[in-house]
Amino acid sequence: VKGESFSGTYQLTQYRGYNYYPLYRYLDSNGNFFEIDDTGILASYFWGKSSSKEEKLTQDDCVRIAKTFVGSIVDIKRYDVSVEEDKDREGYKVTFTKYTNGLKTTDSATVFVQYNGELYSYSSYMLGKVNVDAAVVDDLDINGVVDSINKKLDQIYKDTKNTYSRVDFTEFELLLTVLKDGSTGLVCSVVVNCVDTLGEFETTISERINLVTVDTSSS
């Protein structure tokens, strides 16, 4: 990465987030953890806070540092870049997200750059893996997907609805992804609020659930 080789001692193998492939975690000689995917691409690194530099760079400079780092791993031209300042952690969180024909994908990376320009952390999901033609997105029946998800949620929470005053499904988010067999899928993330009402008071228990939908019309 950026012309630098990384080495470490193997720690464990795990599946994480939206990835359909395993990540292999290593510990480097400085006590920092990093992960590579099943093709050897760097998927995450944690360096932690550094105080070796006292200077404070501009936001634009920190974003350029993040772009250079991620750009050494994957072509960032197809990624939208957003930045958020975190004054408590003294740096900027720079997020790279791939969109296909306006639809957000699971293909993303996040880099946290300290004010002094040094990298604090890097993580990614499905980086470089979601390459779906725009025509495929055009053919997706999003309304049909949402209807299908609502029916599934009603089925899952059928008994729960009899226990609480009401059950609300909120914060729907659809993410385009690629499954292990190469087919296209949609990950739906939704917040489920289980609400108990007693007079003017309400008690809410919430959870987030992820569902994956696939096109079975040709099967």
Side-chain angles (χ1 to χ4, degrees):
V1 180
K2 293 175 59 179
E4 183 179 356
S5 297
F6 298 91
S7 62
T9 303
Y10 172 76
Q11 301 294 302
L12 56 86
T13 300
Q14 64 176 347
Y15 287 82
R16 183 163 52 84
Y18 305 113
N19 302 332
Y20 62 75
Y21 48 85
L23 294 179
Y24 306 99
R25 177 176 292 183
Y26 295 84
L27 182 67
D28 71 13
S29 58
N30 295 316
N32 302 321
F33 288 102
F34 67 90
E35 294 174 315
I36 61 172
D37 68 14
D38 57 343
T39 63
I41 293 177
L42 187 66
S44 73
Y45 215 121
F46 182 79
W47 296 272
K49 192 174 181 63
S50 171
S51 58
S52 61
K53 296 180 182 179
E54 297 298 330
E55 63 180 316
K56 182 176 180 180
L57 302 183
T58 66
Q59 176 176 308
D60 288 344
D61 287 336
C62 290
V63 171
R64 275 193 289 271
I65 290 169
K67 286 182 175 180
T68 298
F69 180 79
V70 177
S72 65
I73 302 171
V74 69
D75 184 0
I76 63 173
K77 292 179 182 177
R78 291 194 58 192
Y79 292 78
D80 283 18
V81 181
S82 62
V83 58
E84 180 182 343
E85 183 177 10
D86 188 331
K87 293 183 179 179
D88 292 334
R89 295 169 63 195
E90 300 181 330
Y92 297 95
K93 183 176 75 170
V94 186
T95 303
F96 300 78
T97 306
K98 183 185 288 184
Y99 286 80
T100 298
N101 219 25
L103 186 61
K104 188 177 182 180
T105 75
T106 56
D107 191 335
S108 65
T110 301
V111 181
F112 192 88
V113 183
Q114 299 172 83
Y115 285 146
N116 62 11
E118 295 193 0
L119 298 176
Y120 178 88
S121 64
Y122 153 71
S123 62
S124 66
Y125 295 113
M126 294 290 291
L127 191 62
K129 300 288 196 299
V130 184
N131 297 305
V132 178
D133 191 272
V136 174
V137 178
D138 284 339
D139 288 340
L140 291 174
D141 180 7
I142 299 299
N143 290 331
V145 169
V146 173
D147 288 342
S148 176
I149 290 170
N150 278 319
K151 290 178 181 178
K152 184 65 175 180
L153 289 171
D154 285 337
Q155 177 184 342
I156 294 173
Y157 290 94
K158 179 180 179 181
D159 294 336
T160 306
K161 287 184 175 183
N162 295 327
T163 304
Y164 292 87
S165 301
R166 71 176 191 272
V167 177
D168 300 327
F169 306 130
T170 63
E171 298 182 31
F172 274 82
E173 183 180 38
L174 289 177
L175 301 174
L176 184 71
T177 195
V178 173
L179 306 179
K180 188 174 183 179
D181 63 2
S183 62
T184 300
L186 285 170
V187 177
C188 177
S189 176
V190 59
V191 172
V192 181
N193 295 315
C194 302
V195 183
D196 256 340
T197 302
L198 182 60
E200 61 184 68
F201 299 101
E202 288 187 345
T203 302
T204 302
I205 299 176
S206 299
E207 65 179 358
R208 182 178 293 275
I209 184 172
N210 290 323
L211 301 96
V212 179
T213 65
V214 295
D215 183 7
T216 58
S217 58
S218 61
S219 61

